[in-house]
Amino acid sequence: MDTATGGEPVEMDTTTRGDPWHTPSIDFSAITEKTVLIEPSLITRCQKRLCYGNSSQGEFPLAANPSIVLHASCRFFRQPANFSPDFDLSISELAALDMCQRRAIFKPMTQSERELLKERCGGSWKLVLRFLRAGEKCFRREKCQAIAGPGHSVVVTKSGAVYTFGSNSSGQLGHGTTEEEWRPRLVRSLQGIRIIQATAGAGRTMLISDTGRVYAFGKDSFGDTEFGIEGSRSATTPRLVESLEGIFAVQAAIGNFFTAILSREGRVYTFSWGADAALGHQTEPQDQRPHLLKGDLENVPVVQIAAGYCYLLALTCQPSGMSVYSVGCGLGGKLGHGSRTDEKYPRKIEHFQQLKLQPVIVAAGAWHAAVVGKDGRVCTWGWGRYGCLGHGNEECESVPKVVESLQVVKAVHVTTGDYTTFVVADNGDVYSFGCGESSSLGHLGTATEGQVHRHANLLRPELVVSLKQRGERVVQISLTNSIFWNAHTFALTEAGKLYAFGAGDKGQLGTELLAYQSERGNPELVDINLD
């Protein structure tokens, strides 16, 4: 009960409303304005608390939109908060902490782990929230996803179940056999384990559970997955990677000659390919131990990793903004530093500052790389063979360069393969360019052009009409990233449908081909339930 000015008691029971979050409107015209003198130093201090780093006040939603703060305040007043009162935190900091606690990746963390993450992110819960949201944007954590591996495929459903199909010579499908599968088949040995992320290499598959554990099957090596190692073994069912005990993993990336793991705290660990300290540490090819990536990234939180042919890219989230670091082989300029020299330790790609572009998604192809900027621009660099950079030629670019023909498109996703690049726009349209081998670009051509256009290389991005004709909004593209396998491509739609095209000679498309076919140029729906 409450008493209105000069009136009878008024009932304040919010449950009488249909919307439990609804609050009565306030007549602001009836509020008497009073002049309040505030010390200038307090104004400056408050303004600084609204933002982070050198960014403007409107950069961060909790500071720019008071309704978010008010919404969080209502939650605190109408139900118990999930933390003890902290008089040192501003209301926006409390709101950020509340939003962090709603993330599945944040919930199981102990208080000390949370404080360490806060310190690592820059000492603010708003920065921690920014870090978590950036990771969610980079890859489909907690959502269904499809992985087009070298000769085999992996699909993770919304519920965390895993289906595999395609080549199985090393047991990389995880079914306890080495027989090929032409239709999606559930990996039953994972029953009771919820998988949130998957990656695939040649003859190898890795999965990450919602508890941060890593499971691997196929070739029993973290290193030379392309050629195999003499005497190496194979695992035909998922096995827990025990050497990662104590590391809560959120992403895995399989490159050529090495494997990388990203932890919940934004640290990067690598296996193998340590000859000549190529990744900052000295190891043997069969080394099963993870090594923390040394150098500048030790104290910088990483939100996404991408592995290519002998190199690694890392997308970081710092108070000053998002950045990309690269390490490994610099052949073709794919490290983005303006040269073709190797880097034994991670080095920041400085050219994005000149382009005034803040990267939010990074992709590493075999020989080239790409990013999507916060403003929707796409940059590519590295070896430009077959036009995979989209600049209208086959020249190499040793620093990131904006794809001019995509300037009218606001990109939200990019993925790269062996001389191939796909871009997804915010309206669900898909563009592809580069090598057209195996019909993996999705361009069918006309009846008179037939096979000629379907395998044509594209020097500039072209709309994938065959996907647009499906009338579906595409949210993710995955394509094979291997120089030794014919490529295939998956297109995942907002409605939860999966389309496949490209090479299918091993069953990796999830549908059987006719006797004389080895590929499919037209996207076809894969019979699988992604819920």
Side-chain angles (χ1 to χ4, degrees):
M1 303 287 287
D2 193 11
T3 303
T5 303
E8 295 297 324
V10 178
E11 194 72 36
M12 296 296 289
D13 183 9
T14 59
T15 60
T16 59
R17 295 281 186 172
D19 181 1
W21 300 111
H22 177 82
T23 48
S25 60
I26 300 175
D27 184 4
F28 289 98
S29 62
I31 299 177
T32 304
E33 294 187 2
K34 294 183 179 180
T35 302
V36 180
L37 298 177
I38 301 177
E39 185 181 343
S41 61
L42 292 178
I43 297 176
T44 302
R45 188 168 62 190
C46 289
Q47 287 176 340
K48 288 183 178 179
R49 297 185 75 174
L50 288 176
C51 57
Y52 52 86
N54 298 321
S55 302
S56 63
Q57 178 176 332
E59 182 78 14
F60 196 82
L62 287 177
N65 191 343
S67 65
I68 298 180
V69 178
L70 291 175
H71 174 76
S73 301
C74 291
R75 293 191 61 85
F76 298 157
F77 294 151
R78 299 181 184 211
Q79 66 182 41
N82 296 322
F83 44 83
S84 303
D86 190 332
F87 297 104
D88 294 328
L89 295 180
S90 65
I91 194 168
S92 59
E93 276 286 278
L94 287 171
L97 177 55
D98 183 59
M99 294 173 73
C100 287
Q101 291 179 320
R102 300 178 191 283
R103 263 64 184 180
I105 190 176
F106 190 84
K107 286 180 180 179
M109 298 180 73
T110 64
Q111 186 59 37
S112 60
E113 290 173 335
R114 293 178 179 184
E115 291 295 336
L116 288 174
L117 178 61
K118 178 182 176 183
E119 181 181 354
R120 183 171 172 81
C121 289
S124 164
W125 291 119
K126 288 181 287 189
L127 294 176
V128 173
L129 178 61
R130 184 169 181 252
F131 167 76
L132 297 176
R133 293 177 66 180
E136 293 168 355
K137 183 179 180 64
C138 292
F139 50 95
R140 297 181 58 81
R141 186 186 297 158
E142 305 294 329
K143 299 179 181 178
C144 57
Q145 56 183 272
I147 308 298
H152 75 288
S153 304
V154 185
V155 175
V156 181
T157 69
K158 290 181 182 179
S159 62
V162 178
Y163 291 81
T164 58
F165 44 100
S167 177
N168 197 28
S169 57
S170 299
Q172 62 264 40
L173 299 186
H175 301 305
T177 70
T178 55
E179 297 178 1
E180 294 177 356
E181 296 288 343
W182 286 74
R183 298 284 182 178
R185 180 180 174 185
L186 178 67
V187 182
R188 298 190 179 280
S189 60
L190 291 170
Q191 186 175 3
I193 301 173
R194 185 169 184 263
I195 301 300
I196 62 170
Q197 200 262 335
T199 187
R204 184 171 180 79
T205 303
M206 296 184 74
L207 307 173
I208 296 179
S209 73
D210 60 350
T211 59
R213 294 189 172 188
V214 180
Y215 298 84
F217 42 103
K219 289 184 179 179
D220 190 19
S221 166
F222 287 102
D224 197 343
T225 59
E226 294 291 353
F227 305 105
I229 298 174
E230 186 176 353
S232 64
R233 299 170 299 171
S234 294
T236 58
T237 57
R239 294 183 180 179
L240 181 66
V241 181
E242 297 180 356
S243 60
L244 287 169
E245 185 71 27
I247 298 175
F248 194 110
V250 294
Q251 187 194 356
I254 300 177
N256 298 78
F257 309 109
F258 75 99
T259 299
I261 297 292
L262 177 63
S263 77
R264 176 176 56 186
E265 298 76 22
R267 293 187 174 90
V268 181
Y269 298 84
T270 58
F271 295 86
S272 303
W273 198 46
D276 301 322
L279 288 178
H281 56 75
Q282 190 79 26
T283 65
E284 297 300 323
Q286 290 176 301
D287 190 0
Q288 300 284 323
R289 296 172 301 157
H291 295 262
L292 181 66
L293 193 58
K294 300 291 186 178
D296 292 345
L297 287 183
E298 288 186 71
N299 299 311
V300 176
V302 177
V303 296
Q304 184 202 0
I305 53 176
Y309 193 86
C310 305
Y311 77 108
L312 179 71
L313 300 179
L315 178 65
T316 67
C317 182
Q318 299 169 271
S320 58
M322 308 287 284
S323 303
V324 178
Y325 288 73
S326 60
V327 60
C329 173
L331 187 65
K334 58 190 177 183
L335 296 185
H337 302 302
S339 67
R340 301 186 182 187
T341 58
D342 298 346
E343 297 288 343
K344 290 187 177 181
Y345 296 94
R347 179 181 172 187
K348 183 178 177 180
I349 300 178
E350 302 287 354
H351 195 67
F352 290 117
Q353 294 181 349
Q354 297 183 32
L355 297 174
K356 296 182 179 180
L357 183 144
Q358 186 170 182
V360 293
I361 295 176
V362 64
W367 303 101
H368 72 294
V371 303
V372 171
K374 185 177 180 180
D375 58 3
R377 285 184 292 168
V378 177
C379 285
T380 58
W381 68 94
W383 205 340
R385 192 176 181 187
Y386 304 121
C388 63
L389 301 184
H391 302 308
N393 54 49
E394 297 188 54
E395 303 282 328
C396 291
E397 298 289 345
S398 58
V399 295
K401 182 178 179 179
V402 175
V403 181
E404 296 293 339
S405 55
L406 287 174
Q407 288 281 46
V408 296
V409 173
K410 184 174 182 180
V412 295
H413 176 71
V414 65
T415 186
T416 51
D418 179 26
Y419 300 122
T420 308
T421 307
F422 276 77
V423 173
V424 180
D426 61 348
N427 64 353
D429 285 347
V430 178
Y431 298 81
S432 66
F433 45 100
C435 181
E437 186 178 355
S438 305
S439 304
S440 60
L441 291 181
H443 300 288
L444 302 180
T446 63
T448 55
E449 294 174 52
Q451 296 282 343
V452 177
H453 182 78
R454 198 166 73 181
H455 292 118
N457 303 325
L458 298 178
L459 302 183
R460 285 189 172 88
E462 286 192 14
L463 177 67
V464 183
V465 179
S466 60
L467 281 174
K468 190 173 182 62
Q469 291 174 340
R470 301 296 182 193
E472 298 273 357
R473 184 188 179 94
V474 175
V475 294
Q476 183 214 0
I477 292 285
S478 176
L479 67 152
T480 306
N481 187 11
S482 172
I483 63 175
F484 299 105
W485 285 83
N486 290 331
H488 69 289
T489 306
F490 285 133
L492 182 63
T493 72
E494 191 175 48
K497 295 181 180 179
L498 183 63
Y499 292 90
F501 51 97
D505 55 317
K506 297 294 183 180
Q508 60 265 50
L509 296 180
T511 58
E512 293 191 20
L513 302 177
L514 298 178
Y516 60 89
Q517 289 182 316
S518 61
E519 62 188 48
R520 173 174 286 111
N522 192 45
E524 183 164 323
L525 186 64
V526 180
D527 185 15
I528 185 173
N529 184 1
L530 296 179
D531 290 332

